[in-house]
Amino acid sequence: MAKQEWKPGNMLYPLPAVLITCADKEGRENVFTVAWAGTICTNPPMVSISVRPERFSHGMIMQTKEFVINLTTEEMAYAVDFCGVRSGRDVDKFEICKLTREKASKVKAPLLAEAPVCIECKVKEVKKLGSHDLFIADVVAVHAEEAYMDQKNRFRLKEAHPLAYSHGEYYGLGKQLGTFGYSVKKPSSGKKKKH
């Protein structure tokens, strides 16, 4: 295979396409799309999102230092795209996309009822990086939709059909190829591992 060399750029794909909810000090709420979101620490649980300073929600998060990461599904693809290209300065995205607000337990920003997982966050640090500011946040609560719990009380996110973003396009996740540690797991009852 031959590879072309390109100028430096962001080509780390696929990414989670998440909906971020936030509120300002007056209680005005907004929802917007972020693909640059990630886990950064297990203990304590921490996440990050990158937001352009000119985004309407940037100022809201700077005021309250709180937001909610709402995981998305294939069914939510239209809302995810719309909330990424339209500004809350101009339209009520909750209303247009028929997104249902629910009260969070630790932050003022709402949860989205349609999301299979909602992660309440409190900003610990803001790093100004250039085109984006990085919000580093502590996870203060997690809400998981009971409909995706199995008989053994394990959460089955794959049943929600999570949405991913890759270089300008939205995708559903494909089939499961393995589980964490399967490459080193000892075969049971004499069966050989397939590579």
Side-chain angles (χ1 to χ4, degrees), residues 35-137:
W36 295 357
T39 297
I40 56 173
C41 189
T42 301
N43 191 14
M46 296 177 73
V47 293
S48 70
I49 61 171
S50 290
V51 183
R52 289 182 180 271
E54 59 269 20
R55 297 284 298 261
F56 181 55
S57 294
H58 183 281
M60 293 179 155
I61 297 171
M62 289 296 283
Q63 277 185 27
T64 61
K65 300 292 195 281
E66 297 178 346
F67 60 88
V68 177
I69 297 174
N70 300 275
L71 300 191
T72 61
T73 65
E74 292 176 21
E75 199 171 277
M76 297 170 72
Y78 178 88
V80 170
D81 186 63
F82 187 88
C83 292
V85 296
R86 294 299 300 268
S87 174
R89 286 184 186 97
D90 308 319
V91 296
D92 181 343
K93 294 185 270 186
F94 293 98
E95 170 105 13
I96 292 170
C97 295
K98 296 179 177 33
L99 295 170
T100 312
R101 298 169 173 103
E102 291 184 333
K103 188 168 175 45
S105 60
K106 304 281 192 295
V107 301
K108 289 183 177 60
L111 312 177
L112 294 179
E114 294 78 11
V117 176
C118 304
I119 305 165
E120 296 186 46
C121 304
K122 290 196 176 186
V123 176
K124 189 170 188 170
E125 187 179 348
V126 182
K127 289 190 170 287
K128 296 191 175 297
L129 302 176
S131 63
H132 290 69
D133 287 352
L134 180 70
F135 290 92
I136 297 170

Side-chain angles (χ1 to χ4, degrees), residues 71-77 114-117 145 147-149 155-163 172-173:
L71 300 191
T72 61
T73 65
E74 292 176 21
E75 199 171 277
M76 297 170 72
E114 294 78 11
V117 176
E145 176 57 53
Y148 302 115
M149 303 298 282
F155 187 68
R156 309 289 290 175
L157 183 60
K158 71 177 183 178
E159 304 302 324
H161 304 286
L163 187 67
L173 297 184

Side-chain angles (χ1 to χ4, degrees), residues 139-171:
V139 173
V140 294
V142 177
H143 305 266
E145 176 57 53
E146 290 179 354
Y148 302 115
M149 303 298 282
D150 69 13
Q151 299 84 359
K152 295 181 180 178
N153 211 31
R154 289 180 302 199
F155 187 68
R156 309 289 290 175
L157 183 60
K158 71 177 183 178
E159 304 302 324
H161 304 286
L163 187 67
Y165 178 79
S166 184
H167 203 57
E169 298 171 332
Y170 302 100
Y171 293 93

